[in-house]
Amino acid sequence: GSCLESVKIAIDTGYRHIDGAFVYYNEHEVGQAIREKIAEGRIKREDIFYCGKLWNTCHPPELVRPTLEKTLKILQLDYVDLYIIELPMAFKPGDAIYPKDENGKIIYHETDLCATWEAMEACKDAGLAKSIGVSNFNRRQLEMILNKPGLKYKPVSNQVECHPYFTQPKLLEFCRQHDIVIVGYSPLGTSRDETWVNVSSPPLLKDPVLNAIGKKYNKTAAQVALRFSIQRGIVVIPKSFNPQRIRENFQIFDFSLTEKEMKEIEALNKNVRYVELLM
């Protein structure tokens, strides 16, 4: 229920880009929130930019379209604005989201990313997705698709971890050269959940540089971190269920960082991921 309310508050605040995924188990709530706001006359469907994701167990080409259709059915929407391959590795297809063997190790599956991509292209041609992209891809994996014979549509975006402690300068430059937009997840760092987060790095929002710059503009460290990414041309998708923070995260368009401040924040880069994707 908290997801439903959070999305409604976000839409009322002015957010229009909603980043979702089948494995978040909340697409039914997101879809309901969007539909309720449309019914209220607050927005039209075309105002919303919804991103859905193809999970690792659904990489075989014949599973791509049915998986997207399942997402659309859960959302009760006719199309997604962006559909992305969530990770470049495939898991064994089936009902288990994280298929594991008797030793608790993930069971991988050999698929051809280029064939998966062709099935994604077919979803765009069918009008089920307005655009298609990828997530957590490195340069080599991007090149595999960009250099694919008979490529019909190149990825419009690559969603990766990106924030002042992990600035991704090389990947950002490569993507710029190919007109691929970087969408930065965990733009404020992450929770401190040891099951999936590298907690050896200090919490981003306690950083003295971000806080000092924030004081100057009467902004929070979070607002400074988001502004930094936006000024680099990165799309940010901060996650929050806290109404006050949802509104705060949106209040970053009334100030801008100087070149000197941008360089100071860039210098914080540690090249260390919070989200290690250990699977």
Side-chain angles (χ1 to χ4, degrees), residues 263-277:
K263 287 203 158 62
E264 281 173 18
I265 299 172
E266 267 169 29
L268 300 175
N269 183 34
K270 303 178 189 300
N271 266 329
V272 172
R273 296 171 191 274
Y274 281 116
V275 184
E276 293 185 297
L277 300 170

Side-chain angles (χ1 to χ4, degrees), residues 235-247:
V235 173
V236 286
I237 44 173
K239 169 187 161 251
S240 181
F241 287 114
N242 176 315
Q244 187 197 335
R245 289 200 191 125
I246 289 171
R247 293 184 189 103

